[in-house]
Amino acid sequence: MDKDLDFTGRTILVTGSGRNIGRAIILEFAARGANVIINARSNRDEAESVRQDAEGLGARALVVMGEAGEHEVIAEIKARAEAAFGRLDIYVSNAARRLSKSFFDTTEEEWTYHLNQQLTASWRLAKAFTPAMCEAGYGRVIHMNGPDGYFGGWTRVPHSTAKGGLRALTKSLAGGLGEFGVTVNDINPGVSNTIRDASTHPQFHVPGHAETVAAAIPIRRATKVEEVAFACAFLCSPRAAAITGSIIHVDGGRDMLG
């Protein structure tokens, strides 16, 4: 049965993969034989560290730096993927930056930036890569979502709005791409064991907060990034070909979202 999770010959891009969930996904697929493309906004040292780890698992790996939603970055990813591997089979739209500001303090520039970085970026990735997937008769698109996309967030209105729009984009793309063998799904990691910057997640730097949050989760702990990565592998496997337009909640039962 292991052959169903063997991605030898497939190529995957994960945006925002210098650390945390993105890094775990890269290494999950590298261990399963895929060619991997690592993307990070600015920290090249982190990205190169992921590349070295992926190559240590036997994968062929590329690093492309820059904002994942920018036209020139997507063009570079596309050109390098085609030159090195032929085409892209899978991408995970994972890059996201969160702000911590009330609605009244959020600026027009911040609104535009966060929508572009997450929602518009995912639109552009689809425009760039799904045509070749359709032609090949196979493709997997995963959008990394989260509770903010369902519940909103007063201190992160642009981010929450982008995530809500991402859910609609997932369903829209799934409805049109399915006949070509391309599936599009969301993953909701809930609270996970990631590195969080104090500027974007100040609450997690308050003593005792993480423990309080964990106590309210049915499994009594945060989700492991490796668990999210395995959910990605499952969704990209041949045996998940009938799952599209869906949400996989890897959140320990925290939100019980339908």
Side-chain angles (χ1 to χ4, degrees):
M1 303 297 283
D2 283 349
K3 63 180 173 47
D4 292 313
L5 289 170
D6 181 356
F7 295 99
T8 300
R10 300 292 190 190
T11 300
I12 180 173
L13 160 71
V14 184
T15 68
S17 48
R19 60 163 69 176
N20 294 335
I21 289 171
R23 177 183 184 277
I25 297 169
I26 287 287
L27 298 183
E28 179 78 29
F29 278 82
R32 297 183 182 279
N35 309 312
V36 298
I37 302 174
I38 301 136
N39 162 255
R41 180 176 56 88
S42 59
N43 194 325
R44 180 172 287 276
D45 288 344
E46 284 187 341
E48 291 294 343
S49 175
V50 178
R51 180 185 61 78
Q52 290 173 10
D53 289 344
E55 290 176 344
L57 293 168
R60 297 170 65 196
L62 296 175
V63 171
V64 180
M65 299 299 298
E67 291 275 6
E70 295 299 326
H71 287 295
E72 60 270 21
V73 175
I74 293 174
E76 181 182 354
I77 291 169
K78 190 171 187 291
R80 292 182 62 188
E82 290 174 353
F85 309 126
R87 72 181 183 89
L88 195 71
D89 301 289
I90 303 161
Y91 71 80
V92 181
S93 186
N94 171 68
R97 297 190 75 199
R98 296 163 179 84
L99 77 168
S100 183
K101 278 189 174 183
S102 78
F103 168 75
F104 294 124
D105 294 331
T106 302
T107 66
E108 181 95 9
E109 291 74 21
E110 288 167 334
W111 166 263
T112 300
Y113 173 79
H114 286 277
L115 259 65
N116 282 346
Q117 196 219 23
Q118 295 177 64
L119 183 55
T120 304
S122 298
W123 154 270
R124 290 174 177 169
L125 288 166
K127 294 285 280 186
F129 295 115
T130 61
M133 293 178 180
C134 291
E135 185 176 345
Y138 170 90
R140 297 290 185 265
V141 176
I142 296 175
H143 294 148
M144 204 59 60
N145 212 307
D148 289 343
Y150 308 97
F151 299 123
W154 177 251
T155 60
R156 49 178 63 182
V157 172
H159 167 76
S160 299
T161 303
K163 290 298 191 187
L166 198 59
R167 180 76 195 114
L169 179 62
T170 295
K171 293 190 285 186
S172 299
L173 292 176
L177 298 177
E179 66 178 293
F180 302 104
V182 180
T183 67
V184 188
N185 291 289
D186 283 0
I187 289 181
N188 169 32
V191 177
S192 54
N193 63 334
T194 56
I195 300 167
R196 297 179 178 89
D197 296 332
S199 61
T200 58
H201 293 83
Q203 69 275 26
F204 278 92
H205 293 263
V206 175
H209 178 81
E211 291 76 11
T212 299
V213 170
I217 299 172
I219 65 171
R220 298 297 188 267
R221 63 170 175 82
T223 299
K224 298 176 183 177
V225 293
E226 295 81 8
E227 292 166 332
V228 180
F230 183 79
C232 281
F234 166 69
L235 285 175
C236 295
S237 71
R239 303 192 84 183
I243 302 174
T244 194
S246 296
I247 314 163
I248 301 294
H249 297 291
V250 193
D251 65 353
R254 178 175 181 260
D255 298 317
M256 302 287 183
L257 294 165

